[in-house]
């Protein structure tokens, strides 16, 4: 069932992206299918990664996680030195024709290492706790420095929820939540664009042609959808009225074309996916498996809800993509790898995981 849900989510993402990007791609690139073709290539690669995740034991992924997390943290730090700056944020590393966004690619390994840490929280030594909490804290601060408040907040919230699920003490959780709130508040006060986003979120119509433009256009798109929507491919706001309609605000295009009914259907789909993910977590045999499943489900569904909340004006504007739907290879790779880990947890919890082949002992001569 999980595999079917992921396949449906992935197919739906391609269809929505095709509609949201076609007109802009035709105008800017001379090829209406430009973004769709690139996304298809990334989709094939990402499904290959999902297949590898399903075929590889969770124990091996957990052994790989510490090194991958450290490398990912170093790559995030490298974006601050040699990264490519887009819209005032240094989040990308350019490697020839490929751009990588380390803050996206590191997410699956945050889940894995968080599970490894919190599953054995009461048994590991204090220096190990401090080491990995320091690594997580460094990663969040580096992402915040890019600046990328939304991804930093999502990473911190993910780890906090995993710690809560693992039964970490309440005083530590309250202290971490307080520290996270203070760091986020300081970031908003220091960075002008973040402060303006919060102000424009409170009343976007006050400066509808300036700081509130993105949210106003998104609300117009969602409101124009009505009950049943304008129809697939018939969105008006995507005709370069709505900014970044293929990534952060792609839900607004979806809502305009499929209306209130389609939006509720998407939310029910996320609810179903979350329910299945929780069922998988509850059926896991070990704490590590359980926390990996909980973290994967929280990340996929939680990020989707945050993206929809931003597009509908329930939260300040952030730069979080809609998993498996928004344009972008890095987000797609990370999301489908996380889906693969969740499916692997399901297989191992049900005793259905394919075992590695063992060589038969050769008879003695």
């Amino acid at each position: 069932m999980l595999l079917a849900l992921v396949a449906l989510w992935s197919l739906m993402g391609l269809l929505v992206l095709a509609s949201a990007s076609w007109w802009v791609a035709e105008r800017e690139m001379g090829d209406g299918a430009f973004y769709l073709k690139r996304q298809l290539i990334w989709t094939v690669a990402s499904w290959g990664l999902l297949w590898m995740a399903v075929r590889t034991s969770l124990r091996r992924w957990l052994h790989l996680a510490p090194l991958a997390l450290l490398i990912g943290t170093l790559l995030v730090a490298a974006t601050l030195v040699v990264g490519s700056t887009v819209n005032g944020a240094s989040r990308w590393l350019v490697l020839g024709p490929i751009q990588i966004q380390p803050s996206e690619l590191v997410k699956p390994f945050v889940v894995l290492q968080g599970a490894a840490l919190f599953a054995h929280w009461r048994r590991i030594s204090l220096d190990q706790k401090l080491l990995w909490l320091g690594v997580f804290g460094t990663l969040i601060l580096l992402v915040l420095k890019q600046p990328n408040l939304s991804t930093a907040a999502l990473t911190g919230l993910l780890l906090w929820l995993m710690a809560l699920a693992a039964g970490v003490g309440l005083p530590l959780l309250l202290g971490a939540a307080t520290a996270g709130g203070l760091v986020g508040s300081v970031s908003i006060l220091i960075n002008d664009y973040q402060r303006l986003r919060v102000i424009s979120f409170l009343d976007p119509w006050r400066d509808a042609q300036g700081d509130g433009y993105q949210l106003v256009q998104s609300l117009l798109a969602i409101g124009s959808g009505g009950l049943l929507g304008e129809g697939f491919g018939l969105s008006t706001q995507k005709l370069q009225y709505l900014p970044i309609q293929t990534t952060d605000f792609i839900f607004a295009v979806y809502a305009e074309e499929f209306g209130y009914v389609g939006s509720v259907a998407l939310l029910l789909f996320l609810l179903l996916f979350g329910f299945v993910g929780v069922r998988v977590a509850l059926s896991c045999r070990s704490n590590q498996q359980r926390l990996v499943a909980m973290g994967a489900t929280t990340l996929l569904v939680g990020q989707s809800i945050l993206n929809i909340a931003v597009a509908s004006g329930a939260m300040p504007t952030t730069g979080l993509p809609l998993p498996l739907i928004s344009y972008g290879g890095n987000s797609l790779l990370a999301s489908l790898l996380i889906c693969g880990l969740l499916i692997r947890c399901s297989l191992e919890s049900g005793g259905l995981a394919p075992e590695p082949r063992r060589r038969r002992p050769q008879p003695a001569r």
Side-chain angles (χ1 to χ4, degrees):
M1 186 174 185
L2 265 177
L3 189 60
L5 289 175
V6 174
L8 177 60
W9 197 348
S10 183
L11 178 60
M12 178 178 63
L14 289 173
L15 292 175
V16 175
L17 177 64
S19 174
S21 66
W22 195 277
W23 191 88
V24 173
E26 183 69 36
R27 184 183 178 96
E28 296 180 352
M29 305 296 180
D31 179 9
F34 176 81
Y35 293 109
L36 180 61
K37 290 175 183 176
R38 293 170 68 92
Q39 191 79 343
L40 279 170
I41 294 172
W42 282 111
T43 299
V44 172
S46 300
W47 271 92
L49 195 58
L50 179 144
W51 179 84
M52 184 177 70
V54 172
R55 296 290 298 178
T56 306
S57 69
L58 197 61
R59 182 176 299 176
R60 289 188 178 181
W61 283 111
L62 288 166
H63 286 163
L64 175 65
L67 179 60
L69 179 62
L70 291 174
I71 293 175
T73 303
L74 291 176
L75 290 176
V76 172
T79 61
L80 304 177
V81 181
V82 295
S84 174
T85 301
V86 178
N87 295 328
S90 299
R91 304 175 185 176
W92 303 86
L93 291 176
V94 180
L95 302 176
I98 300 176
Q99 287 186 328
I100 66 170
Q101 189 177 2
S103 58
E104 282 291 329
L105 297 177
V106 79
K107 286 178 181 177
F109 303 104
V110 170
V111 172
L112 288 166
Q113 189 56 31
L117 174 64
F118 296 124
H120 304 296
W121 183 257
R122 292 181 176 85
R123 291 185 300 213
I124 61 177
S125 60
L126 179 61
D127 58 340
Q128 286 291 313
K129 294 178 181 178
L130 294 176
L131 170 64
W132 288 111
L133 288 178
V135 172
F136 288 134
T138 301
L139 174 63
I140 292 173
L141 291 176
L142 288 172
V143 173
L144 199 60
K145 182 66 176 175
Q146 289 183 333
N148 191 349
L149 177 60
S150 55
T151 300
L154 178 66
T155 304
L157 183 60
L158 169 67
L159 290 169
W160 192 88
L161 290 173
M162 291 179 69
L164 177 65
V168 174
L170 187 59
L172 183 58
L173 291 173
L174 290 176
T178 303
L182 290 174
V183 171
S185 300
V186 170
S187 177
I188 292 173
L189 292 174
I190 291 176
N191 295 287
D192 291 337
Y193 87 97
Q194 290 178 357
R195 187 167 64 253
L196 289 174
R197 281 184 173 184
V198 173
I199 295 173
S200 64
F201 151 73
L202 296 174
D203 187 8
W205 303 97
R206 185 174 62 180
D207 189 11
Q209 296 299 318
D211 295 324
Y213 182 78
Q214 285 183 335
L215 182 53
V216 166
Q217 297 302 315
S218 179
L219 293 175
L220 287 174
I222 295 173
S224 300
L227 181 63
L228 299 176
E230 299 289 340
F232 178 70
L234 300 180
S235 167
T236 301
Q237 289 299 110
K238 70 182 181 184
L239 307 180
Q240 289 193 326
Y241 295 105
L242 177 66
I244 50 180
Q245 73 272 32
T246 59
T247 52
D248 300 347
F249 283 89
I250 197 169
F251 172 76
V253 177
Y254 171 87
E256 185 179 3
E257 295 186 348
F258 295 96
Y260 176 78
V261 173
S263 300
V264 171
L266 177 59
L267 291 174
L268 290 176
F269 174 84
L270 293 174
L271 180 64
L272 175 61
F273 191 92
F275 174 76
V276 175
V278 171
R279 285 288 301 271
V280 169
L282 293 177
S283 65
C284 287
R285 302 175 182 178
S286 71
N287 288 334
Q288 284 185 326
Q289 288 180 348
R290 185 175 299 111
L291 288 179
V292 170
M294 290 286 288
T297 304
T298 300
L299 188 56
L300 291 168
V301 177
Q303 184 170 325
S304 300
I305 296 298
L306 290 176
N307 177 278
I308 294 172
V310 167
S312 58
M315 279 184 57
T317 302
T318 62
L320 286 175
L322 187 56
L324 276 69
I325 297 178
S326 292
Y327 174 72
N330 291 269
S331 175
L332 197 58
L333 283 170
S335 297
L336 282 175
L337 175 55
I338 292 169
C339 290
L341 294 174
L342 181 58
I343 294 172
R344 180 69 195 190
C345 289
S346 178
L347 292 174
E348 291 191 5
S349 67
L352 302 174
E355 296 293 336
R357 294 181 179 179
R358 298 181 179 179
R359 293 183 179 180
R360 294 181 179 180
Q362 297 293 330
R365 294 183 179 179

